[in-house]
Amino acid sequence: MNKVVVTGGIGYIGSHTVVSLIEKGITVVIVDNMINSNINTLDGIESITGVRPEFHDIDMTDGTLLHRFFDLHKDADAVIHFAALKAVGDSSQQPILYYRNNLFALINLIEGMQKHEISNLVFSSSATVYGTPDFLPITEDHPTKRGMSPYGNSKKIGEEIIEDTVNSAENFKAISLRYFNPIGAHPSYKIGESPNGVPNNLMPYVTQTAAGVRKELSIFGDDYNTPDGTAIRDYIHIVDLAEAHVKTVERLLEDQQKSNFEIFNLGTGQGKSVLEVIESFERMSGQKLPQKITDRRDGDVEQMYSSTERASNDLGWNSKLGLDEMTSSAWEWEKKNRKI
Ligand code: NAD
Ligand code: WQD
């Protein structure tokens, strides 16, 4: 049976991926310091899969602790590295915190893996590395740009660190996954997204507004050059995204790579506007969402959506779930989580 270490495994994307891995019969070991997550997520994972994965409360910026961890798990076949701080605005206020956390954790991880001869790494990257797109849909060959925030830049630098490592070591292989906008929750509604504090992202802000936790949703700009004037993104269901990680691990373990460092975009290929997301949410939930139009948010891109060609052809992965399934599952999770 294969064993996969999942860092950040009780976070939003990590927990859904852990479920998909366990359902494939893979043994999962989680490393997370709970800086942006809750230990109760393990109960959700156990209740869905019947398996409670081994959990280690480790701050990955502590290399000594991480090395000790790998001494126990040197038989791991691969690592999926989700652990990072991810709040874009916050990263501009506290750049060193973000660079320190995201880059020290990655460097310690790679050192630990190399010392213990674990050679397969999956990295959580982001479509933010493309900056303002030069063309649409965005392919993996689209140029990357200096991140518009320290957070985004930590992803770009992270990819470069990994690429240099792969180029320097014959037996180190990696796949970087550039996520577009993951939303939604597991259909059991036992795990989902529950950000700490005021949400930065659209979907949790929508569900929290509908739940009465926030007064109203601000729509950041309706004067974009798009059909309804609001900005367009490629929203991807979290369960589809989780499945893509299983395919990625299989590709590494079965030596199917074309090169030792590969990059895949993970999106649906469908751009949806903020108003389309709200329309879907209101229709699926039966809730009228208090909302107002405000100025554009600094640093926001007008539109971005992914080319799905490479993920479909090489990874054998295609998204299956649509926007209605995303908004309805996000709402069901919000209600269940808040006991509404
Ligand atoms: P999340 O905050 O829910 O999960 C990240 C997890 O990492 C958390 O459980 C946190 O406690 C843990 N963590 C952070 N720093 C750590 C450290 N030093 N040591 C140990 N654990 C640590 O975020 P998510 O949405 O699940 O994102 C997962 C990954 O995907 C991140 O790398 C993020 O940058 C990337 N990503 C997310 C999105 C998105 O919209 N959610 C989009 C693109 C990329
Ligand atoms: C989506 C759309 C907003 C909130 C961010 C990161 C990116 C990636 C995903 C990690 C935009 C609009 C939002 C609100 C709104 N994360 N919006 N009112 O900005 O595409 O990407 O998360 O890597 O790096 O930058 O996602 O969910 O914040 O916004 O109108 O209250 O919703 O303007 O058009 P974004 P988002």
Side-chain angles (χ1 to χ4, degrees), residues 86 88 126 128 151 180-181 200-203 205 217-220 231-233 235 274 297 300:
K86 63 163 183 178
V88 175
S126 168
T128 193
Y151 162 72
F180 279 66
N181 291 62
N200 299 294
N201 296 114
L202 178 62
M203 200 66 237
Y205 210 104
L217 174 76
S218 295
I219 298 168
F220 297 145
I232 287 176
R233 295 289 181 275
Y235 297 94
V274 176
R297 182 171 65 179
D300 266 354

PDB file of all heavy atoms in Angstrom, residues 86 88 126 128 151 180-181 200-203 205 217-220 231-233 235 274 297 300, ligand 2:
ATOM      1  N   LYS A  86      -2.016  31.837   3.235  1.00  0.00           N
ATOM      2  CA  LYS A  86      -2.553  32.114   1.898  1.00  0.00           C
ATOM      3  C   LYS A  86      -3.349  33.416   1.769  1.00  0.00           C
ATOM      4  O   LYS A  86      -3.961  33.654   0.721  1.00  0.00           O
ATOM      5  CB  LYS A  86      -3.430  30.943   1.450  1.00  0.00           C
ATOM      6  CG  LYS A  86      -4.645  30.741   2.338  1.00  0.00           C
ATOM      7  CD  LYS A  86      -5.717  29.875   1.705  1.00  0.00           C
ATOM      8  CE  LYS A  86      -6.928  29.764   2.583  1.00  0.00           C
ATOM      9  NZ  LYS A  86      -8.026  29.000   2.036  1.00  0.00           N
ATOM     10  N   VAL A  88      -3.957  36.873   0.770  1.00  0.00           N
ATOM     11  CA  VAL A  88      -3.259  37.773  -0.142  1.00  0.00           C
ATOM     12  C   VAL A  88      -3.020  39.151   0.497  1.00  0.00           C
ATOM     13  O   VAL A  88      -1.885  39.641   0.534  1.00  0.00           O
ATOM     14  CB  VAL A  88      -4.077  37.919  -1.444  1.00  0.00           C
ATOM     15  CG1 VAL A  88      -3.459  38.946  -2.370  1.00  0.00           C
ATOM     16  CG2 VAL A  88      -4.195  36.568  -2.139  1.00  0.00           C
ATOM     17  N   SER A 126      -0.450  28.232  -7.632  1.00  0.00           N
ATOM     18  CA  SER A 126      -1.663  29.034  -7.798  1.00  0.00           C
ATOM     19  C   SER A 126      -1.643  29.733  -9.147  1.00  0.00           C
ATOM     20  O   SER A 126      -0.579  30.115  -9.645  1.00  0.00           O
ATOM     21  CB  SER A 126      -1.688  30.089  -6.678  1.00  0.00           C
ATOM     22  OG  SER A 126      -2.662  31.056  -6.937  1.00  0.00           O
ATOM     23  N   THR A 128      -2.280  32.536  -9.527  1.00  0.00           N
ATOM     24  CA  THR A 128      -1.798  33.893  -9.273  1.00  0.00           C
ATOM     25  C   THR A 128      -0.402  34.107  -9.874  1.00  0.00           C
ATOM     26  O   THR A 128      -0.013  35.246 -10.133  1.00  0.00           O
ATOM     27  CB  THR A 128      -1.828  34.189  -7.749  1.00  0.00           C
ATOM     28  OG1 THR A 128      -1.653  35.568  -7.542  1.00  0.00           O
ATOM     29  CG2 THR A 128      -0.770  33.446  -6.986  1.00  0.00           C
ATOM     30  N   TYR A 151       2.387  36.856  -0.951  1.00  0.00           N
ATOM     31  CA  TYR A 151       1.857  35.482  -1.014  1.00  0.00           C
ATOM     32  C   TYR A 151       2.067  34.889  -2.409  1.00  0.00           C
ATOM     33  O   TYR A 151       2.630  33.804  -2.567  1.00  0.00           O
ATOM     34  CB  TYR A 151       0.355  35.452  -0.660  1.00  0.00           C
ATOM     35  CG  TYR A 151      -0.280  34.172  -1.132  1.00  0.00           C
ATOM     36  CD1 TYR A 151      -0.009  32.973  -0.479  1.00  0.00           C
ATOM     37  CD2 TYR A 151      -1.097  34.135  -2.272  1.00  0.00           C
ATOM     38  CE1 TYR A 151      -0.533  31.777  -0.942  1.00  0.00           C
ATOM     39  CE2 TYR A 151      -1.618  32.951  -2.738  1.00  0.00           C
ATOM     40  CZ  TYR A 151      -1.339  31.772  -2.073  1.00  0.00           C
ATOM     41  OH  TYR A 151      -1.841  30.591  -2.547  1.00  0.00           O
ATOM     42  N   PHE A 180      -6.926  27.280  -9.866  1.00  0.00           N
ATOM     43  CA  PHE A 180      -7.670  28.500 -10.135  1.00  0.00           C
ATOM     44  C   PHE A 180      -8.480  28.813  -8.859  1.00  0.00           C
ATOM     45  O   PHE A 180      -7.881  28.985  -7.816  1.00  0.00           O
ATOM     46  CB  PHE A 180      -8.433  28.372 -11.459  1.00  0.00           C
ATOM     47  CG  PHE A 180      -7.472  28.653 -12.614  1.00  0.00           C
ATOM     48  CD1 PHE A 180      -6.417  27.791 -12.881  1.00  0.00           C
ATOM     49  CD2 PHE A 180      -7.550  29.819 -13.355  1.00  0.00           C
ATOM     50  CE1 PHE A 180      -5.463  28.085 -13.865  1.00  0.00           C
ATOM     51  CE2 PHE A 180      -6.614  30.125 -14.348  1.00  0.00           C
ATOM     52  CZ  PHE A 180      -5.575  29.254 -14.601  1.00  0.00           C
ATOM     53  N   ASN A 181      -9.793  28.842  -8.873  1.00  0.00           N
ATOM     54  CA  ASN A 181     -10.510  29.257  -7.655  1.00  0.00           C
ATOM     55  C   ASN A 181     -11.319  28.106  -7.068  1.00  0.00           C
ATOM     56  O   ASN A 181     -12.478  27.892  -7.457  1.00  0.00           O
ATOM     57  CB  ASN A 181     -11.430  30.438  -7.974  1.00  0.00           C
ATOM     58  CG  ASN A 181     -10.660  31.706  -8.285  1.00  0.00           C
ATOM     59  OD1 ASN A 181      -9.908  31.759  -9.247  1.00  0.00           O
ATOM     60  ND2 ASN A 181     -10.829  32.739  -7.476  1.00  0.00           N
ATOM     61  N   ASN A 200     -11.622  36.568   2.870  1.00  0.00           N
ATOM     62  CA  ASN A 200     -11.138  37.386   1.750  1.00  0.00           C
ATOM     63  C   ASN A 200     -11.778  36.928   0.452  1.00  0.00           C
ATOM     64  O   ASN A 200     -11.919  37.700  -0.484  1.00  0.00           O
ATOM     65  CB  ASN A 200      -9.625  37.196   1.574  1.00  0.00           C
ATOM     66  CG  ASN A 200      -8.868  37.637   2.800  1.00  0.00           C
ATOM     67  OD1 ASN A 200      -8.864  38.811   3.121  1.00  0.00           O
ATOM     68  ND2 ASN A 200      -8.244  36.702   3.503  1.00  0.00           N
ATOM     69  N   ASN A 201     -12.118  35.663   0.394  1.00  0.00           N
ATOM     70  CA  ASN A 201     -12.563  35.073  -0.874  1.00  0.00           C
ATOM     71  C   ASN A 201     -14.076  35.160  -1.027  1.00  0.00           C
ATOM     72  O   ASN A 201     -14.821  35.248  -0.049  1.00  0.00           O
ATOM     73  CB  ASN A 201     -12.106  33.612  -0.964  1.00  0.00           C
ATOM     74  CG  ASN A 201     -10.588  33.502  -0.990  1.00  0.00           C
ATOM     75  OD1 ASN A 201      -9.991  32.976  -0.069  1.00  0.00           O
ATOM     76  ND2 ASN A 201      -9.973  34.018  -2.033  1.00  0.00           N
ATOM     77  N   LEU A 202     -14.504  35.130  -2.279  1.00  0.00           N
ATOM     78  CA  LEU A 202     -15.911  35.375  -2.593  1.00  0.00           C
ATOM     79  C   LEU A 202     -16.864  34.358  -1.946  1.00  0.00           C
ATOM     80  O   LEU A 202     -17.834  34.734  -1.284  1.00  0.00           O
ATOM     81  CB  LEU A 202     -16.085  35.360  -4.130  1.00  0.00           C
ATOM     82  CG  LEU A 202     -17.505  35.542  -4.629  1.00  0.00           C
ATOM     83  CD1 LEU A 202     -18.077  36.888  -4.222  1.00  0.00           C
ATOM     84  CD2 LEU A 202     -17.560  35.384  -6.161  1.00  0.00           C
ATOM     85  N   MET A 203     -16.591  33.059  -2.167  1.00  0.00           N
ATOM     86  CA  MET A 203     -17.593  32.051  -1.770  1.00  0.00           C
ATOM     87  C   MET A 203     -17.866  32.030  -0.273  1.00  0.00           C
ATOM     88  O   MET A 203     -19.038  32.081   0.142  1.00  0.00           O
ATOM     89  CB  MET A 203     -17.152  30.662  -2.269  1.00  0.00           C
ATOM     90  CG  MET A 203     -18.270  29.665  -2.347  1.00  0.00           C
ATOM     91  SD  MET A 203     -19.489  30.133  -3.598  1.00  0.00           S
ATOM     92  CE  MET A 203     -20.956  30.205  -2.631  1.00  0.00           C
ATOM     93  N   TYR A 205     -17.492  34.431   1.740  1.00  0.00           N
ATOM     94  CA  TYR A 205     -18.172  35.692   2.092  1.00  0.00           C
ATOM     95  C   TYR A 205     -19.656  35.578   1.752  1.00  0.00           C
ATOM     96  O   TYR A 205     -20.528  36.025   2.511  1.00  0.00           O
ATOM     97  CB  TYR A 205     -17.534  36.906   1.381  1.00  0.00           C
ATOM     98  CG  TYR A 205     -17.677  38.161   2.204  1.00  0.00           C
ATOM     99  CD1 TYR A 205     -16.608  38.678   2.913  1.00  0.00           C
ATOM    100  CD2 TYR A 205     -18.928  38.791   2.329  1.00  0.00           C
ATOM    101  CE1 TYR A 205     -16.754  39.799   3.718  1.00  0.00           C
ATOM    102  CE2 TYR A 205     -19.081  39.907   3.127  1.00  0.00           C
ATOM    103  CZ  TYR A 205     -18.000  40.409   3.824  1.00  0.00           C
ATOM    104  OH  TYR A 205     -18.153  41.507   4.617  1.00  0.00           O
ATOM    105  N   LEU A 217     -22.806  41.453   1.041  1.00  0.00           N
ATOM    106  CA  LEU A 217     -21.663  41.173   0.183  1.00  0.00           C
ATOM    107  C   LEU A 217     -21.330  42.421  -0.622  1.00  0.00           C
ATOM    108  O   LEU A 217     -22.220  43.032  -1.219  1.00  0.00           O
ATOM    109  CB  LEU A 217     -22.001  40.028  -0.782  1.00  0.00           C
ATOM    110  CG  LEU A 217     -20.910  39.763  -1.831  1.00  0.00           C
ATOM    111  CD1 LEU A 217     -19.729  39.016  -1.220  1.00  0.00           C
ATOM    112  CD2 LEU A 217     -21.469  38.997  -3.016  1.00  0.00           C
ATOM    113  N   SER A 218     -20.052  42.801  -0.636  1.00  0.00           N
ATOM    114  CA  SER A 218     -19.609  43.866  -1.543  1.00  0.00           C
ATOM    115  C   SER A 218     -19.171  43.215  -2.847  1.00  0.00           C
ATOM    116  O   SER A 218     -18.328  42.313  -2.836  1.00  0.00           O
ATOM    117  CB  SER A 218     -18.417  44.616  -0.947  1.00  0.00           C
ATOM    118  OG  SER A 218     -18.812  45.285   0.223  1.00  0.00           O
ATOM    119  N   ILE A 219     -19.742  43.688  -3.938  1.00  0.00           N
ATOM    120  CA  ILE A 219     -19.297  43.224  -5.261  1.00  0.00           C
ATOM    121  C   ILE A 219     -18.229  44.209  -5.722  1.00  0.00           C
ATOM    122  O   ILE A 219     -18.522  45.390  -5.934  1.00  0.00           O
ATOM    123  CB  ILE A 219     -20.479  43.176  -6.246  1.00  0.00           C
ATOM    124  CG1 ILE A 219     -21.523  42.176  -5.733  1.00  0.00           C
ATOM    125  CG2 ILE A 219     -20.011  42.820  -7.647  1.00  0.00           C
ATOM    126  CD1 ILE A 219     -22.855  42.254  -6.464  1.00  0.00           C
ATOM    127  N   PHE A 220     -17.013  43.705  -5.850  1.00  0.00           N
ATOM    128  CA  PHE A 220     -15.878  44.606  -6.095  1.00  0.00           C
ATOM    129  C   PHE A 220     -15.809  45.024  -7.562  1.00  0.00           C
ATOM    130  O   PHE A 220     -15.010  44.501  -8.331  1.00  0.00           O
ATOM    131  CB  PHE A 220     -14.569  43.936  -5.671  1.00  0.00           C
ATOM    132  CG  PHE A 220     -14.469  43.620  -4.200  1.00  0.00           C
ATOM    133  CD1 PHE A 220     -13.810  42.461  -3.772  1.00  0.00           C
ATOM    134  CD2 PHE A 220     -15.021  44.460  -3.229  1.00  0.00           C
ATOM    135  CE1 PHE A 220     -13.700  42.158  -2.420  1.00  0.00           C
ATOM    136  CE2 PHE A 220     -14.920  44.158  -1.868  1.00  0.00           C
ATOM    137  CZ  PHE A 220     -14.254  43.007  -1.469  1.00  0.00           C
ATOM    138  N   ALA A 231     -16.064  40.887 -12.467  1.00  0.00           N
ATOM    139  CA  ALA A 231     -14.843  40.158 -12.828  1.00  0.00           C
ATOM    140  C   ALA A 231     -15.113  38.654 -12.990  1.00  0.00           C
ATOM    141  O   ALA A 231     -16.032  38.098 -12.369  1.00  0.00           O
ATOM    142  CB  ALA A 231     -13.783  40.388 -11.758  1.00  0.00           C
ATOM    143  N   ILE A 232     -14.306  38.047 -13.821  1.00  0.00           N
ATOM    144  CA  ILE A 232     -14.522  36.637 -14.183  1.00  0.00           C
ATOM    145  C   ILE A 232     -13.381  35.769 -13.652  1.00  0.00           C
ATOM    146  O   ILE A 232     -12.206  36.124 -13.763  1.00  0.00           O
ATOM    147  CB  ILE A 232     -14.654  36.519 -15.721  1.00  0.00           C
ATOM    148  CG1 ILE A 232     -16.021  37.081 -16.138  1.00  0.00           C
ATOM    149  CG2 ILE A 232     -14.461  35.084 -16.193  1.00  0.00           C
ATOM    150  CD1 ILE A 232     -16.263  37.123 -17.627  1.00  0.00           C
ATOM    151  N   ARG A 233     -13.766  34.601 -13.076  1.00  0.00           N
ATOM    152  CA  ARG A 233     -12.800  33.636 -12.553  1.00  0.00           C
ATOM    153  C   ARG A 233     -13.214  32.228 -12.980  1.00  0.00           C
ATOM    154  O   ARG A 233     -14.364  31.989 -13.361  1.00  0.00           O
ATOM    155  CB  ARG A 233     -12.777  33.660 -11.012  1.00  0.00           C
ATOM    156  CG  ARG A 233     -12.297  34.952 -10.391  1.00  0.00           C
ATOM    157  CD  ARG A 233     -10.808  35.169 -10.594  1.00  0.00           C
ATOM    158  NE  ARG A 233     -10.344  36.405  -9.983  1.00  0.00           N
ATOM    159  CZ  ARG A 233     -10.398  37.603 -10.566  1.00  0.00           C
ATOM    160  NH1 ARG A 233     -10.891  37.729 -11.787  1.00  0.00           N
ATOM    161  NH2 ARG A 233      -9.949  38.678  -9.939  1.00  0.00           N
ATOM    162  N   TYR A 235     -13.967  29.030 -11.359  1.00  0.00           N
ATOM    163  CA  TYR A 235     -14.257  28.354 -10.086  1.00  0.00           C
ATOM    164  C   TYR A 235     -14.255  26.843 -10.313  1.00  0.00           C
ATOM    165  O   TYR A 235     -14.839  26.353 -11.277  1.00  0.00           O
ATOM    166  CB  TYR A 235     -15.603  28.829  -9.530  1.00  0.00           C
ATOM    167  CG  TYR A 235     -15.581  30.311  -9.221  1.00  0.00           C
ATOM    168  CD1 TYR A 235     -16.019  31.252 -10.162  1.00  0.00           C
ATOM    169  CD2 TYR A 235     -15.045  30.783  -8.023  1.00  0.00           C
ATOM    170  CE1 TYR A 235     -15.953  32.615  -9.898  1.00  0.00           C
ATOM    171  CE2 TYR A 235     -14.971  32.140  -7.751  1.00  0.00           C
ATOM    172  CZ  TYR A 235     -15.427  33.051  -8.689  1.00  0.00           C
ATOM    173  OH  TYR A 235     -15.341  34.398  -8.432  1.00  0.00           O
ATOM    174  N   VAL A 274     -18.802  37.369 -11.077  1.00  0.00           N
ATOM    175  CA  VAL A 274     -19.270  37.451  -9.685  1.00  0.00           C
ATOM    176  C   VAL A 274     -20.805  37.368  -9.671  1.00  0.00           C
ATOM    177  O   VAL A 274     -21.393  36.640  -8.846  1.00  0.00           O
ATOM    178  CB  VAL A 274     -18.787  38.767  -9.024  1.00  0.00           C
ATOM    179  CG1 VAL A 274     -19.348  38.889  -7.611  1.00  0.00           C
ATOM    180  CG2 VAL A 274     -17.262  38.832  -8.996  1.00  0.00           C
ATOM    181  N   ARG A 297     -11.472  46.038  -6.188  1.00  0.00           N
ATOM    182  CA  ARG A 297     -10.474  45.745  -5.143  1.00  0.00           C
ATOM    183  C   ARG A 297      -9.077  45.880  -5.753  1.00  0.00           C
ATOM    184  O   ARG A 297      -8.842  45.373  -6.865  1.00  0.00           O
ATOM    185  CB  ARG A 297     -10.699  44.314  -4.630  1.00  0.00           C
ATOM    186  CG  ARG A 297      -9.780  43.877  -3.520  1.00  0.00           C
ATOM    187  CD  ARG A 297     -10.204  42.542  -2.929  1.00  0.00           C
ATOM    188  NE  ARG A 297     -10.106  41.437  -3.880  1.00  0.00           N
ATOM    189  CZ  ARG A 297     -10.408  40.169  -3.586  1.00  0.00           C
ATOM    190  NH1 ARG A 297     -10.849  39.848  -2.388  1.00  0.00           N
ATOM    191  NH2 ARG A 297     -10.291  39.229  -4.499  1.00  0.00           N
ATOM    192  N   ASP A 300      -6.974  43.328  -8.252  1.00  0.00           N
ATOM    193  CA  ASP A 300      -7.819  42.309  -8.892  1.00  0.00           C
ATOM    194  C   ASP A 300      -7.643  42.322 -10.414  1.00  0.00           C
ATOM    195  O   ASP A 300      -7.541  43.372 -11.039  1.00  0.00           O
ATOM    196  CB  ASP A 300      -9.299  42.550  -8.563  1.00  0.00           C
ATOM    197  CG  ASP A 300      -9.756  41.750  -7.359  1.00  0.00           C
ATOM    198  OD1 ASP A 300      -8.968  40.929  -6.853  1.00  0.00           O
ATOM    199  OD2 ASP A 300     -10.909  41.952  -6.919  1.00  0.00           O
TER     200      ASP A 300
HETATM  201  C1  WQD B   2     -13.059  36.172  -6.706  1.00  0.00           C
HETATM  202  C2  WQD B   2     -13.837  37.296  -7.367  1.00  0.00           C
HETATM  203  C3  WQD B   2     -13.293  39.479  -6.526  1.00  0.00           C
HETATM  204  C4  WQD B   2     -14.821  38.869  -2.498  1.00  0.00           C
HETATM  205  C5  WQD B   2      -7.615  34.751  -4.665  1.00  0.00           C
HETATM  206  C6  WQD B   2      -6.110  34.831  -4.625  1.00  0.00           C
HETATM  207  C7  WQD B   2      -5.499  33.752  -5.458  1.00  0.00           C
HETATM  208  C8  WQD B   2      -6.058  32.391  -5.087  1.00  0.00           C
HETATM  209  C9  WQD B   2      -7.536  32.380  -5.014  1.00  0.00           C
HETATM  210  C10 WQD B   2      -4.510  31.378  -3.582  1.00  0.00           C
HETATM  211  C11 WQD B   2     -12.967  38.520  -7.675  1.00  0.00           C
HETATM  212  C12 WQD B   2     -14.736  39.135  -6.215  1.00  0.00           C
HETATM  213  C13 WQD B   2     -14.466  38.693  -3.823  1.00  0.00           C
HETATM  214  C14 WQD B   2     -15.861  39.772  -2.178  1.00  0.00           C
HETATM  215  C15 WQD B   2     -16.130  40.240  -4.525  1.00  0.00           C
HETATM  216  N1  WQD B   2      -5.592  31.974  -3.805  1.00  0.00           N
HETATM  217  N2  WQD B   2     -15.102  39.363  -4.822  1.00  0.00           N
HETATM  218  N3  WQD B   2     -16.479  40.419  -3.219  1.00  0.00           N
HETATM  219  O1  WQD B   2      -9.089  37.170  -6.079  1.00  0.00           O
HETATM  220  O2  WQD B   2      -9.576  35.394  -7.818  1.00  0.00           O
HETATM  221  O3  WQD B   2      -8.028  34.912  -6.007  1.00  0.00           O
HETATM  222  O4  WQD B   2      -7.996  33.455  -4.209  1.00  0.00           O
HETATM  223  O5  WQD B   2      -3.604  31.142  -4.299  1.00  0.00           O
HETATM  224  O6  WQD B   2      -4.142  33.824  -5.257  1.00  0.00           O
HETATM  225  O7  WQD B   2      -5.702  36.095  -5.106  1.00  0.00           O
HETATM  226  O8  WQD B   2     -10.422  35.091  -5.482  1.00  0.00           O
HETATM  227  O9  WQD B   2     -12.417  34.653  -4.107  1.00  0.00           O
HETATM  228  O10 WQD B   2     -10.966  36.641  -3.552  1.00  0.00           O
HETATM  229  O11 WQD B   2     -12.345  36.703  -5.600  1.00  0.00           O
HETATM  230  O12 WQD B   2     -16.707  40.852  -5.424  1.00  0.00           O
HETATM  231  O13 WQD B   2     -16.192  39.993  -1.012  1.00  0.00           O
HETATM  232  O14 WQD B   2     -14.853  37.760  -6.464  1.00  0.00           O
HETATM  233  O15 WQD B   2     -13.169  40.829  -6.892  1.00  0.00           O
HETATM  234  O16 WQD B   2     -13.412  39.048  -8.871  1.00  0.00           O
HETATM  235  P1  WQD B   2      -9.280  35.756  -6.408  1.00  0.00           P
HETATM  236  P2  WQD B   2     -11.538  35.748  -4.579  1.00  0.00           P
END
